[in-house]
Amino acid sequence: MEHNASIADIGYFLEKYGKKKNLKLLDIGCSDGKKALDFLVQDKFQGITYTGLDSVYWDEDKNLKPISSRRRIFIYGDACNLPFSDAKFDLVILSHVFEHIQDSEKLCSEINRVVKREGKILLIVPLEKGGIAGFINRHRNLWRYIRIILNNLKIFPYHAISPHIQFKSYKEYRDFFEKKFKIVENYARGSFKMLFISAIHENLMGFGRQKINLMKLIENYFPNFFHNAYRKNRYFKINAVFILTPK
């Protein structure tokens, strides 16, 4: 559900800011790039040249790195040392990336450096602090804790790939981003049923060795429930969305 919701937020961002000609978009932590690229096939977004940057996702399997083309460029690089000139991009996307970065100050500095003065930045982050919802959201993957215990007992090896480092509430993220950027728009998403189903899904995927995809089953057989569960919500916050511009 979080994956689908972030796709909807990216679509909203592109609809609002991505229809002009000769736009350059940077997707930091892009993995395979599909979240954004699936939109860019539409005629109204043909003015966008896409650049995807990643490292950790491709480190696991070099074959995962997509092949670049003239308007679809993929670069291996560090988000805190972006290999681009100043004021190069009109749009920047970070979807579920910020929480993995240790040096958030350097990351924000680099984003501000490479985005144009009137450019727009989309940041999507999980909320893993603040109230019961934040606590459950942070600790919902019991399978991961079992793997850590088994690893410590030297029963079964486990290595976390790019774990979450930043744990903030909605207010803490907003206060932090206000110091680094100008906030154009911000909102939160979530519901109890989304959090409950996400927790079951993650643990089934763990115990079932990635073979039991509860989310896909719900999406296929209960589409209305699936798409309504992750609605914008002022009171039950699981994810936060920030649209920013450089100071």
Side-chain angles (χ1 to χ4, degrees), residues 84-109:
F84 308 111
S85 58
D86 295 357
K88 181 178 178 67
F89 295 98
D90 303 279
L91 305 172
V92 177
I93 294 174
L94 294 93
S95 176
H96 292 275
V97 172
F98 187 89
E99 65 273 16
H100 297 275
I101 306 297
Q102 178 73 52
D103 194 345
S104 55
E105 296 282 341
K106 186 67 163 61
L107 174 62
C108 291
S109 175

Side-chain angles (χ1 to χ4, degrees), residues 130-178:
I132 297 297
F135 178 83
I136 296 174
N137 199 29
R138 179 173 177 176
H139 300 290
R140 70 191 192 190
N141 193 337
L142 299 177
W143 171 242
R144 182 177 68 239
Y145 290 107
I146 292 172
R147 291 288 301 273
I148 291 171
I149 292 171
L150 293 176
N151 180 69
N152 291 338
L153 294 174
K154 302 187 184 303
I155 295 174
F156 195 85
Y158 173 67
H159 171 65
I161 301 171
S162 187
H164 290 190
I165 296 169
Q166 305 289 340
F167 301 101
K168 299 181 187 296
S169 67
Y170 184 74
K171 183 180 184 305
E172 286 172 333
Y173 270 121
R174 187 180 61 212
D175 292 345
F176 178 82
F177 292 140
E178 276 183 335

Side-chain angles (χ1 to χ4, degrees), residues 26 51 53 75 81-86 88-89 113-114:
L26 173 61
T51 299
L53 179 136
I75 295 176
N81 293 282
L82 295 171
F84 308 111
S85 58
D86 295 357
K88 181 178 178 67
F89 295 98
R113 181 181 66 79
V114 301

Side-chain angles (χ1 to χ4, degrees), residues 3-4 7-8 10-11 14-15 25 27 30 32-46 48 50 72 74 93:
H3 175 78
N4 284 63
I7 290 175
I10 290 170
L14 292 174
E15 281 285 343
L25 185 155
D27 187 0
C30 65
D32 60 7
K34 281 183 63 63
K35 281 185 181 180
L37 289 175
D38 283 350
F39 289 102
L40 300 191
V41 298
Q42 301 176 40
D43 289 340
K44 57 188 171 184
F45 300 129
Q46 289 306 297
I48 295 177
Y50 173 93
R72 304 290 183 262
F74 292 91
I93 294 174

